[in-house]
Structures are given as structure tokens and as C-alpha cells.
Amino acid sequence: VNTLALRWSLDNKPHLSVLDQQLLPQVEKWIGIHDCNEMIAAIKALKVRGAPLIGVSAALSLAQSALDGSSKEKLLHETAELMAARPTAVNLMNCVNRLKKIILTNLRPEVFLKEILIEALAIAQEDFELCDRMANYGAALIDSGDSILTHCNSGALATAGVGTALGVIRRAHELGKKIHVYVDETRPLLQGARLTAWELDKFQIPYTLITDNMAAHVMSLGKINKIFVGCDRIAVNGDFANKIGTYGVAVCAHYHQIPFYVVGPQTTVDSKCLSGAEIPIEQRHADEVRGASGSFGNVIWSQENTPVYNPSFDVTPAKLVTAWVLDTGVLTYKNICEGALK
Ligand code: MRU
């Protein structure tokens, strides 16, 4: 496995490492992940982030733990701890549950290790392929001359492939379409300013960074004609959770009649979740809102005891979505009402 943000080599001894996304873009530092506890800490600290990448990384770290000789009891404990690391992105639960099924079987030790390894590698490979398919379906919705707004980071840093929403944008650029991207900075953790801008720069896609509270104004000036965002969980009625601020973007898009597309793979669909109201929303530490942290250290600019509300995600209702770009194709609201996600 060798992606923009995740590497796993099996040469002599399994070796898993991740690009520390908290330090980007100033510092590009790879950190070794030696056990599931280190992976859990990396996921909680958003060193590893993005719904699909969290799922793939958790699966690989469980496989590494099995190869390192962990008992079944320990592996089951680790599955529970990994799944609790971030509650909103359902890819984490979907991927870890695939390995849990194997852990719960009574296979001979060599067969068990082989099965778990095959499954973990399949999860990574599948994510790569899902991204590729979404990119092709989504890029067909983009025309030369489009000016596109995106929120958070949904690119190669967030998946094992080209990404979801940002993957679509990148594919359109690779196909020679002349596009411009407006990037929401994405407070509080600045995934847009730090990560999406870094990726767009790396792939030489023209872009402009704006703060989140500029998006409505930029739309009112007619500077945006399409919006693409990723997602962390899609309910069967089409409601979806994504990075906090996405709902506001969708409301503004609706007002300005700008097509609003959500891009996500099958691994982000929660078939047990009937509507967005059932999606658990992660609450994070108050200091993320009181200030900021990164390669520059930790800065607090409000009073240290300022009361804070810090939901990490919000839910966008299906009615505000123009179309859902999945790895299986592009769905309309009518398709969803007819049960396409059930
Ligand atoms: O908190 P993060 O950085 O993990 O949030 C990421 C997002 O909200 C992305 O848009 C989502 O995971 C889709 S990424 C392919």
C-alpha cells in the first residue's frame, strides 16, 4: 500500500506509516504506526483523517496487530477501540467490521492470518478503485470554464485513491477541462486551507482560498457555478453528514440556485441509518475553536475559559442535494426516494 498519506510494506516485518496531516503543509513528516493504540491516537488527533482513509488505516493496523501475534481477545478489544476513535465517519465501522467477522471465525492460525491480510489489502485496493469510479462519474458533470467551490479536504489525503469530491475535481482537470476551484478554509481545523490548497497546488489546479464566511458573498457575485463536497455518512434517505459548515454551503447554494453535488463511495452509505437525524455527531475539544494548532504549535486567542460548542460535522438534508455521485453512478433525489440507497 502506497498512497499520498499512508504506506504499508510487508518486506521483512510489517511496517505501517502515515503522513502527519496535522503538520501539513509546512512540514511533511511520516510517522511510524507500531500498534493499534498508536493508530487510534493518530486518528483522534486527525493526523490520519478523511472518512475512507480512516477506514483503510484502521483495517491495516488491525491486520498488522494480527501479524504481530495479538490474541483474538486483544484483536476484538482493538476493533472496539478503533471503532470508537471517531463516531461520525461510518467507513471506520464498515471496514473494521469486515475484519471483525474474520477474527470471530475459528480458522487455523496460518489460514486466519492469510485471510485477515487478504481482507485488509482488499479494503485498501477497493477504496482506490471506488475513488477512480467516482472521479469518472463526477468529472462528467464538470464543464470547461466551471468555477467550483469545495469544503474541507476530500482528496488523496482523505482516501487511498484520488479522493471523493476533490478526486472528481482533479479528474476533470486531468481531462483538460479548464476549471477554477474556490477552497473554503474550513474552520476549526483548517482542512481546506492546509490540505486542499496543498493538494491543488501539488496537482497544479488553479485555486483561490477563502474563509468560510466569504462563501455566500462569493456565490452572490456569480463566481461559483458548481459545488462538490465529500461525506462521512450517507443515510438511506440521502441526508448526509460532512465537515461542519457543509450545511451552510448547501443552504447558500440552494438560495443562489447553484448545483450542489455530494460525492462518496458505497463504504460511506449507512444502510441502517434511515435519516440524518440518526447520524451521531462527534463533539471535539474546545481549544480547537478557542485557537488553532499545527506545525506552528498551539495558539489560543480567546480567553482560556471561553465556553465553546464544537460539533465536528453537520447534516445536509437530501432536499438540498442536486445529485449524489457514488462509485456506482450518479443518483438523483427521485432515485433516492425510490430506495436506491436501501
Ligand atoms: O474531520 P475530517 O478531516 O476527517 O473530515 C473530513 C471530511 O469531512 C471529508 O469531507 C469527508 O471525510 C469525506 S473525504 C473523502
Side-chain angles (χ1 to χ4, degrees):
V1 179
N2 188 2
T3 81
L4 194 60
L6 180 70
R7 291 180 190 149
W8 197 39
S9 79
L10 289 162
D11 293 345
N12 299 318
K13 197 178 175 298
H15 180 71
L16 186 57
S17 54
V18 298
L19 180 60
D20 185 342
Q21 298 196 34
Q22 267 301 91
L23 299 180
L24 285 175
Q26 290 84 7
V27 177
E28 292 183 29
K29 183 180 170 198
W30 285 82
I31 46 176
I33 300 286
H34 306 96
D35 56 35
C36 283
N37 284 338
E38 287 184 6
M39 181 55 85
I40 290 162
I43 291 173
K44 284 184 176 167
L46 269 72
K47 291 172 190 291
V48 176
R49 47 145 307 276
L53 191 74
I54 296 170
V56 171
S57 306
L60 295 182
S61 87
L62 263 179
Q64 175 159 290
S65 179
L67 293 173
D68 283 344
S70 294
S71 67
K72 288 212 172 188
E73 290 68 32
K74 186 170 179 213
L75 289 171
L76 284 175
H77 176 72
E78 287 170 344
T79 59
E81 295 282 306
L82 278 164
M83 283 197 268
R86 292 203 70 192
T88 303
V90 77
N91 310 57
L92 177 60
M93 296 62 177
N94 287 344
C95 293
V96 169
N97 272 327
R98 282 175 63 173
L99 293 195
K100 189 175 173 185
K101 264 193 196 152
I102 302 174
I103 297 169
L104 288 170
T105 56
N106 273 328
L107 297 166
R108 278 185 293 119
E110 324 81 71
V111 183
F112 169 68
L113 284 183
K114 194 171 152 210
E115 291 291 313
I116 220 152
L117 182 59
I118 289 173
E119 191 70 352
L121 291 174
I123 287 170
Q125 178 62 23
E126 280 167 28
D127 189 59
F128 176 85
E129 289 166 13
L130 294 173
C131 286
D132 205 50
R133 290 204 284 273
M134 285 180 283
N136 289 336
Y137 283 122
L141 300 168
I142 294 177
D143 301 304
S144 242
D146 277 350
S147 181
I148 301 165
L149 178 79
T150 192
H151 189 74
C152 197
N153 172 268
S154 57
L157 288 169
T159 65
V162 282
T164 60
L166 198 57
V168 163
I169 292 168
R170 183 171 150 196
R171 181 62 44 87
H173 170 79
E174 285 163 357
L175 289 170
K177 300 187 184 188
K178 300 270 173 277
I179 53 171
H180 191 90
V181 185
Y182 277 87
V183 180
D184 272 353
E185 76 173 340
T186 320
R187 270 289 286 157
L189 294 184
L190 306 165
Q191 289 92 331
R194 296 188 304 101
L195 310 177
T196 298
W198 182 79
E199 278 198 46
L200 289 168
D201 187 68
K202 198 177 187 64
F203 300 118
Q204 298 186 339
I205 305 171
Y207 73 95
T208 304
L209 175 65
I210 56 172
T211 60
D212 301 334
N213 51 1
M214 294 174 190
H217 175 67
V218 174
M219 286 186 215
S220 78
L221 297 178
K223 286 181 184 285
I224 309 286
N225 69 325
K226 273 168 202 159
I227 297 170
F228 284 84
V229 295
C231 49
D232 286 76
R233 192 181 298 224
I234 309 178
V236 290
N237 74 341
D239 296 350
F240 72 93
N242 191 46
K243 180 52 53 195
I244 189 76
T246 304
Y247 173 50
V249 171
V251 170
C252 288
H254 187 72
Y255 181 78
H256 292 100
Q257 299 184 341
I258 300 169
F260 177 91
Y261 300 101
V262 57
V263 187
Q266 284 298 328
T267 44
T268 308
V269 176
D270 184 352
S271 54
K272 293 193 202 80
C273 185
L274 299 183
S275 82
E278 294 175 20
I279 301 177
I281 301 294
E282 176 185 5
Q283 299 291 326
R284 292 188 59 86
H285 199 281
D287 283 352
E288 291 179 354
V289 177
R290 290 186 186 127
S293 55
S295 58
F296 47 83
N298 303 318
V299 187
I300 298 287
W301 50 67
S302 40
Q303 294 185 96
E304 293 206 347
N305 58 354
T306 297
V308 161
Y309 176 51
N310 186 16
S312 191
F313 299 92
D314 58 24
V315 173
T316 298
K319 274 192 182 155
L320 297 179
V321 180
T322 307
W324 291 252
V325 180
L326 304 185
D327 52 280
T328 46
V330 180
L331 299 182
T332 60
Y333 187 59
K334 187 167 174 282
N335 300 142
I336 304 262
C337 291
E338 288 165 356
L341 293 175
K342 281 190 180 141

